[in-house]
Amino acid sequence: MSGSDRAVLEALFQAALSAAYPETRMQHLLPQPPKGRTIVLGAGKGAARMARAFEMLWPHPCEGLVVTRYGHGTPTERIEVVEAAHPVPDAAGRAAAGRILDLARAAGPDDLVVCLISGGASALLSLPAEGLTLEDKQAVNKALLRSGAPIQEMNAVRKAMSAIKGGRLAAAAAPARMVTYLISDVPGDEPGVIGSGPTVAGGADPETALAILRRYDIPVSDSVQRAIRANTAPAVLPDAELHMLATPQMALEAAAATARELGLTPVILGDALEGEAREVGRVLAGIAEQALRHGQPAARPCVLLSGGETTVTVKGQGRGGRNVEFLLALTLQLQGRAGISAVACDTDGIDGSEDNAGAWTDAATLALGKQSGLVATEFLANNDAYSYFAALDRLVVTGPTLTNVNDFRAILVR
């Protein structure tokens, strides 16, 4: 095996990203053309790229609208792309969601409705249920993001407060034929959780959502509680086509294939790891040390691969994201152990709300930090891992990747 640690880690990340793009699999999963119109609707960080891919592959007329995060758009010819805020929704997302729902309602029985859903759709399709305001949704979203709640619980609340999620978009389009293409960013790849399932029935139970809010001590007014309880959603929907274009496991398998080409033994630890980012970092550091000292779960040189979505319970005032927080905790746990390096990045190119995808680390990181007068434990305590790695020029910056299969982590053991 040859190549610097950083080059190897970057090659693995690029392999994972390439497997997360929609073009390759979509071309084999196109539906039969309809007698009527083809209406394309969608939302998420990968929605613009998905729309562009569909346009390129679909040899028939089509029209429609997708909404993506600010800065994640791409030129299209027939499908309109609008941008809105993520992770906290804004008025642009509300307006786009309203237009998307209107387009679904206008579909006729001879029409085909194609839905393109990727991670981020839940915040971007921000259409409050009757009796709720955008400000209500913004306040709850902000509180959930700081609470450390896993994505499944966050999306259960979002469904309960939405006029479009939890299968409501599909219900609005009936009786038109519907085909949904998904890029998964959630542990388990459950279609009803991806983007809060706008075309998937179930999972919008009001009492479940209210119990989650109580669990994390997130206060909501009596009027908000009444609106949530009154917001009905379809329990069942007509049979609809669902196609998974990309998942965390697909990305990990692509990285594993590249690892083998580089002479590394890949070990996929899991595609759905959850928990506090810093705790996951400490655990994976222990597994890396086991590989270094005892050749388990694989002999050196090897790479430990994992995906999923960790969480951060924000208590400090720093700049950070779950990937850099994971990585700083791992770095501290290893204490400069020679022979171990790692990368942790979000596949959408944005770690939290910063301008980086993540960061990388090796045995020299802590020593370099000390030379610069940086106390790593203080940065971690302040949820400020971004600033720590930025000071050492160890951020990974890709810009928006226009896809999203959640976090990618690779730990290289020489």
Side-chain angles (χ1 to χ4, degrees):
M1 176 190 168
S2 61
S4 70
D5 287 1
R6 181 174 183 175
V8 170
L9 295 169
E10 288 181 347
L12 297 174
F13 180 44
Q14 287 302 317
L17 276 183
S18 296
Y21 294 138
E23 295 86 343
T24 302
R25 281 181 53 81
M26 186 183 283
Q27 65 181 325
H28 304 297
L29 298 169
L30 294 176
Q32 291 296 313
K35 294 180 181 179
R37 298 176 300 159
T38 299
I39 304 168
V40 181
L41 310 174
K45 298 173 189 174
R49 187 171 189 140
M50 296 170 81
R52 185 179 66 187
F54 186 82
E55 279 188 347
M56 293 173 59
L57 297 168
W58 189 245
H60 313 286
C62 67
E63 59 191 283
L65 169 67
V66 302
V67 57
T68 191
R69 181 176 178 162
Y70 289 122
H72 289 239
T74 192
T76 51
E77 294 182 2
R78 292 169 283 168
I79 303 165
E80 183 183 355
V81 175
V82 299
E83 298 182 358
H86 179 282
V88 178
D90 68 356
R94 178 180 59 187
R99 291 178 60 198
I100 287 171
L101 191 60
D102 288 342
L103 286 168
R105 287 170 175 158
D110 291 331
D111 294 337
L112 168 67
V113 178
V114 175
C115 289
L116 308 174
I117 304 298
S118 62
S122 193
L124 292 161
L125 281 178
S126 175
L127 191 63
E130 186 175 350
L132 297 174
T133 66
L134 177 61
E135 290 73 23
D136 292 329
K137 296 197 73 173
Q138 288 172 329
V140 170
N141 262 280
K142 288 178 182 177
L144 284 169
L145 288 166
R146 296 181 67 87
S147 71
I151 188 64
Q152 291 92 334
E153 292 185 340
M154 292 179 65
N155 282 359
V157 175
R158 287 166 169 169
K159 285 184 187 183
M161 299 181 73
S162 175
I164 196 170
K165 305 183 186 84
R168 296 178 180 95
L169 179 61
R177 180 161 59 103
M178 175 167 284
V179 178
T180 300
Y181 295 96
L182 300 163
I183 293 179
S184 174
D185 72 328
V186 300
D189 306 324
E190 174 57 45
V193 179
I194 302 167
S196 296
T199 65
V200 181
D205 178 60
E207 295 306 325
T208 298
L210 292 171
I212 292 168
L213 294 173
R214 288 193 294 271
R215 184 178 310 135
Y216 294 100
D217 296 321
I218 298 173
V220 291
S221 67
D222 290 344
S223 63
V224 168
Q225 293 185 49
R226 287 193 297 270
I228 289 174
R229 289 193 169 101
N231 187 28
T232 58
V236 294
L237 287 167
D239 289 340
E241 281 187 60
L242 292 172
H243 298 293
M244 201 72 71
L245 297 180
T247 67
Q249 180 65 16
M250 293 176 190
L252 292 174
E253 289 174 354
T258 296
R260 293 186 191 97
E261 293 172 0
L262 295 172
L264 298 166
T265 300
V267 179
I268 296 178
L269 299 175
D271 69 340
L273 301 191
E274 297 182 83
E276 279 288 326
R278 61 182 63 191
E279 297 303 326
V280 175
R282 293 178 183 122
V283 170
L284 294 197
I287 298 174
E289 287 211 66
Q290 184 74 3
L292 185 71
R293 293 187 291 118
H294 301 294
Q296 299 168 333
R300 296 177 288 158
C302 64
V303 62
L304 310 175
L305 302 169
S306 64
E309 183 171 12
T310 62
T311 52
V312 175
T313 303
V314 180
K315 297 180 180 179
Q317 302 298 317
R319 301 174 68 188
R322 59 182 183 262
N323 285 286
V324 289
E325 178 138 335
F326 158 87
L327 202 65
L328 186 53
L330 177 138
T331 301
L332 280 164
Q333 188 71 21
L334 291 172
Q335 284 296 306
R337 176 76 70 178
I340 300 177
S341 57
V343 68
C345 293
D346 196 325
T347 53
D348 68 2
I350 307 295
D351 188 22
S353 59
E354 297 296 342
D355 58 1
N356 64 314
W360 69 280
T361 189
D362 64 6
T365 298
L366 286 181
L368 291 172
K370 289 178 181 176
Q371 290 174 15
S372 300
L374 307 178
V375 181
T377 53
E378 293 180 359
F379 281 85
L380 185 61
N382 196 35
N383 301 119
D384 199 18
Y386 174 99
S387 298
Y388 184 84
F389 288 112
L392 301 179
D393 193 27
R394 295 199 168 202
L395 295 177
V396 175
V397 180
T398 62
T401 63
L402 310 186
T403 189
N404 182 23
V405 291
N406 235 318
D407 299 337
F408 173 80
R409 295 176 290 269
I411 305 173
L412 175 62
V413 184
R414 291 282 195 179

